[in-house]
């Protein structure tokens, strides 16, 4: 399967990278590991005129823990490294565990954290070859005027299926964004627009350089659970991340975030309020499980039955919280 | 340096560039376009057809090769992006025509039927065994999670790998 034609750039500094991105009239895209973007290009879902590789920019490869500041990770570190790095395993083992659940061994060798967070949304009517795509009228995401999943819908409902975003969001992680205008640090959560067609806010011409998990979050208990049909390869059909702050035998704070059930990662409303000040018990796990269930609205746009995916959100939430009891 | 494959480079119609790839220990000059994947170049320009194209989209693992010793999917790597890295294909692990112990074990255990997945399976497990000489069955299954076989049912493949592990 061929890739469409493009011009390849591999600048050795961020500055040059930003300049090339800003300069390209024919649609330039950032290329990290390519395991999301190159597949979409092969399917002709995207045909950027140039690709700007981040591979030669050393600044994106750091992992460091600084007391008081927290854990920082360069956007270019691979998921294999994330899973095996000693600092990550010591400071945030849940993140190393989640990284191992992404895709396959070969993909994790090249796939990056930045690419994982900024991967596109997916739908069974969108992620198709051009020939197979002809079987249905173009949907919103293929620049048509219909959604095959929600026929009366006014927008695209393609699903965000990243595995790392829910955990990073539950841990209040920030992302550092560099563009022509300068550098800013924003919550990971604010990257997502909620629209399946254009899932990110203002990312054109920008580079995510790194992620910081604040010190406070590193002291929380955290975990991620993923539901998929096969034990490998598959994207999450539903995923739950939880981060819990214990204090004096009671729950001081709790944050839950879901993936695979909407066009963006979904933070479960009311979870913190429901748990605050209570002892962690099976009953509380069930109560929070119900809140997660209520916040998940999977549609029939992935393999697997939406009702099962929704139930799995409840089951996995209870499972994580119950595992925290011991 | 082998130049045979670039004999008529000047005459070749190519909008791209000439790069040097280090494949199975040899430096190979090759004319590529930016959009050529490593798999395109290995199979179509260097006549190394051991890596196969099953899906072309990252899901089957039949195009697996080693990049600096780590398994990657050649169908999703740009050839221009792997300059300076050591590429190992299935042709490179049978030095001087002598099969590696893992290759022999695959034959002995009947772990090959049509053979389409075999080069990927063997490269993924070669990488596993060089990182972990005594992998558990679970480690083997995890390392092969991205290699799909439509013929053997996997058991014989896992048994072949376990037999090599036991020899070490
Ligand atoms: C068979 C298969 C199975 C998969 N399974 C999973 C799975 O289970 N879970 C999962 O989460 N993902 C899965 N993926 C998707 C993908 O492999 C991962 O999300 C991976 O982490 C993407 O990272 P990358 O570096 O390869 O991204 P790329 O493809 O290089 O980039 C993805 C997008 O992010 C942009 N981008 C990348 N880095 C930056 C940056 N630093 N700044 C700005 N923009 C950037 C790119 O422009 C592109 O639009 C799978 C893919 C395949 C092919
Ligand atoms: S051909 Fe590369 S993964 Fe299938
Ligand atoms: S032997 Fe035929 S695909 Fe594995």
């Amino acid at each position: 399967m061929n890739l469409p034609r493009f011009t390849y750039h591999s600048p050795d500094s961020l500055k040059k990278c930003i300049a090339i991105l800003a300069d390209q009239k024919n649609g330039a895209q950032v290329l990290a590991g390519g395991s999301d973007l190159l597949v979409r290009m092969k399917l002709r879902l995207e045909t950027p005129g140039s690709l700007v590789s981040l591979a030669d920019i050393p600044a994106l490869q750091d992992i460091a823990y600084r007391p008081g500041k927290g854990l920082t990770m360069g956007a270019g570190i691979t998921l294999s490294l994330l899973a095996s790095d000693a600092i990550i395993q010591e400071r945030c083992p849940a993140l190393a565990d989640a990284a191992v659940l992404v895709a396959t061994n070969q993909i994790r060798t090249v796939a990056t954290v930045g690419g994982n967070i900024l991967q596109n949304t997916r739908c069974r009517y969108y992620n198709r070859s051009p020939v197979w795509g002809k079987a249905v009228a173009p949907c919103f995401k293929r620049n048509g005027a219909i959604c095959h999943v929600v026929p009366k819908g006014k927008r695209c409902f393609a699903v965000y299926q990243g595995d790392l975003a829910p955990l990073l969001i539950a841990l209040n992680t920030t992302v550092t964004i560099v563009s022509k205008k300068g550098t800013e640090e924003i919550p990971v959560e604010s990257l997502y627009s909620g629209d399946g067609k254009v899932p990110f806010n203002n990312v054109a011409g920008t580079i995510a350089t790194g992620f910081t998990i604040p010190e406070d979050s590193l002291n929380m208990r955290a975990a991620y659970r993923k539901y998929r049909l096969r034990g490998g390869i598959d994207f999450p059909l539903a995923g739950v991340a939880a981060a819990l702050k214990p204090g004096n035998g009671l729950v001081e704070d709790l944050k839950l975030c879901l993936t695979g059930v909407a066009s963006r990662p979904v933070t479960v409303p009311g979870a913190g309020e429901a748990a605050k000040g209570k002892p962690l018990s099976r009953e509380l796990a069930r109560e929070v499980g119900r809140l997660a269930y209520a916040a998940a609205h999977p549609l029939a746009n992935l393999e697997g039955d939406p009702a099962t995916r929704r139930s799995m959100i409840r089951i996995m939430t209870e499972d994580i919280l119950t595992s925290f009891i011991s | 340096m082998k130049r045979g494959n670039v004999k008529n480079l000047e005459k070749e119609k190519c909008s791209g560039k000439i790069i040097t790839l280090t494949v199975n220990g040899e430096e190979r000059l090759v004319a590529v376009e930016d959009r050529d994947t490593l798999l395109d170049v290995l199979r179509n320009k260097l006549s190394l057809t051991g890596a196969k194209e099953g899906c072309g989209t990252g899901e089957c693992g039949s195009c697996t090769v080693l990049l600096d010793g780590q398994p990657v999917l050649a169908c999703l790597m740009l050839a221009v992006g792997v300059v300076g890295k050591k590429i190992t294909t299935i042709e490179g692990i049978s030095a001087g025509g002598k099969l590696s112990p893992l290759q022999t074990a695959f034959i002995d255990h009947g772990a090959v039927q049509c053979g389409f997945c075999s080069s990927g399976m063997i490269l993924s497990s070669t990488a596993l065994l060089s990182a972990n000489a005594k992998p558990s069955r679970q480690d083997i299954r995890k390392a092969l999670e991205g290699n799909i076989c439509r013929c053997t049912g996997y058991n014989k493949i896992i048994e072949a790998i376990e037999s090599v592990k036991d020899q070490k």
Side-chain angles (χ1 to χ4, degrees):
Chain A
M1 206 184 283
N2 279 338
L3 281 163
R5 287 202 165 74
F6 57 85
T7 309
Y8 177 78
H9 304 269
S10 52
D12 56 10
S13 74
L14 264 182
K15 220 170 148 190
K16 287 184 198 161
C17 206
I18 299 287
I20 301 172
L21 281 176
D23 199 39
Q24 301 295 314
K25 305 277 176 287
N26 52 0
Q29 281 241 30
V30 172
L31 177 74
S35 61
D36 171 52
L37 181 57
L38 295 181
V39 177
R40 279 185 285 128
M41 287 172 64
K42 281 191 164 187
L43 299 178
R44 302 300 189 268
L45 298 172
E46 235 163 305
T47 51
S50 32
L51 292 186
V52 187
S53 166
L54 302 181
D56 294 331
I57 305 177
L60 304 182
Q61 306 295 335
D62 288 342
I63 298 176
Y65 168 71
R66 292 186 191 85
K69 170 124 172 69
L71 181 63
T72 55
M73 302 164 284
I77 63 172
T78 64
L79 301 187
S80 298
L81 183 60
L82 195 65
S84 60
D85 183 79
I87 300 177
I88 305 274
Q89 284 186 344
E90 185 192 339
R91 300 288 166 184
C92 194
L95 187 56
D97 295 346
V100 178
L101 298 178
V102 175
T104 66
N105 200 18
Q106 297 98 315
I107 290 177
R108 291 191 298 273
T109 306
V110 298
T112 64
V113 182
N116 193 279
I117 294 303
L118 291 161
Q119 68 180 280
N120 217 291
T121 48
R122 304 171 56 80
C123 172
R124 57 155 69 144
Y125 295 97
Y126 172 69
N127 298 85
R128 294 178 166 210
S129 66
V131 175
W132 189 25
K134 282 187 188 148
V136 288
C139 62
F140 287 123
K141 204 163 164 73
R142 282 175 179 264
N143 296 321
I146 185 171
C147 173
H148 299 292
V149 182
V150 184
K152 288 189 182 150
K154 295 273 182 288
R155 68 161 177 99
C156 168
F157 288 86
V159 190
Y160 181 78
Q161 288 184 279
D163 274 313
L164 300 185
L167 188 59
L168 291 188
I169 292 172
L171 291 168
N172 294 319
T173 307
T174 56
V175 52
T176 306
I177 303 275
V178 179
S179 71
K180 234 171 41 174
K181 288 182 237 143
T183 304
E184 58 173 340
E185 194 174 341
I186 57 171
V188 169
E189 206 163 354
S190 67
L191 287 171
Y192 301 94
S193 71
D195 176 24
K197 181 172 178 182
V198 186
F200 301 102
N201 295 318
N202 312 323
V203 290
T206 68
I207 295 173
T209 56
F211 299 87
T212 303
I213 305 177
E215 177 83 52
D216 233 18
S217 301
L218 296 176
N219 300 322
M220 294 173 103
R221 298 200 64 177
Y224 173 67
R225 295 277 192 282
K226 168 174 183 172
Y227 168 61
R228 54 179 162 179
L229 298 185
R230 297 177 288 187
I233 311 178
D234 291 350
F235 286 85
L237 295 176
V240 183
L244 182 142
K245 188 174 182 188
N248 298 329
L250 303 176
V251 178
E252 213 173 293
D253 197 8
L254 172 69
K255 195 164 172 188
L256 279 186
C257 187
L258 316 178
T259 192
V261 293
S263 298
R264 55 168 299 150
V266 177
T267 301
V268 176
E273 292 78 354
K276 202 171 176 167
K278 292 188 188 155
L280 189 53
S281 63
R282 281 177 187 277
E283 198 180 310
L284 180 63
R286 274 197 292 275
E287 184 185 342
V288 176
R290 281 194 293 273
L291 290 176
Y293 180 88
H297 300 285
L299 299 167
N301 43 11
L302 304 175
E303 63 270 35
D305 162 36
T308 309
R309 286 165 51 210
R310 196 173 186 202
S311 298
M312 284 308 293
I313 289 284
R314 180 176 50 72
I315 292 166
M316 292 188 294
T317 305
E318 284 181 23
D319 182 46
I320 296 180
L321 294 180
T322 314
S323 75
F324 286 169
I325 294 176
S326 50
Chain B
M1 184 178 297
K2 268 203 182 169
R3 285 181 178 265
N5 56 306
V6 283
K7 233 183 262 162
N8 294 316
L9 267 186
E10 290 76 28
K11 283 186 231 148
E12 194 171 319
K13 268 204 192 129
C14 178
S15 56
K17 38 187 103 157
I18 296 170
I19 57 172
T20 306
L21 295 182
T22 311
V23 185
N24 300 330
E26 281 180 7
E27 294 201 334
R28 308 282 300 258
L29 276 175
V30 62
V32 300
E33 283 188 61
D34 285 349
R35 65 159 173 172
D36 286 342
T37 63
L38 176 58
L39 186 63
D40 297 330
V41 172
L42 290 173
R43 292 183 56 84
N44 303 336
K45 304 205 167 156
L46 298 177
S47 301
L48 294 167
T49 53
K52 305 283 187 257
E53 181 168 41
C55 63
T57 52
E59 289 167 43
C60 75
S62 66
C63 64
T64 304
V65 299
L66 303 184
L67 197 68
D68 291 338
Q70 298 304 313
V72 296
L73 300 174
C75 75
L76 294 183
M77 302 290 312
L78 296 181
V80 287
V82 294
V83 174
K85 310 228 184 234
K86 287 195 192 105
I87 300 150
T88 308
T89 69
I90 191 74
E91 291 86 350
I93 66 162
S94 46
K98 192 171 171 294
L99 297 183
S100 75
L102 199 55
Q103 286 175 303
T104 311
F106 265 60
I107 296 170
D108 292 346
H109 285 79
V112 180
Q113 286 186 28
C114 79
F116 206 83
C117 71
S118 306
S119 59
M121 289 282 180
I122 290 171
L123 287 166
S124 281
S125 29
T126 300
L128 169 71
L129 290 171
S130 60
N132 176 3
K134 299 254 178 231
S136 64
R137 190 160 259 241
Q138 189 48 35
D139 294 335
I140 297 174
R141 291 167 64 109
K142 182 69 182 162
L144 295 184
E145 71 183 331
N147 293 85
I148 288 183
C149 176
R150 301 208 65 177
C151 309
T152 69
Y154 301 100
N155 283 340
K156 289 173 186 298
I157 293 173
I158 293 170
E159 283 161 18
I161 298 165
E162 285 188 321
S163 76
V164 175
K165 159 193 122 174
D166 294 337
Q167 284 166 25
K168 291 203 174 180

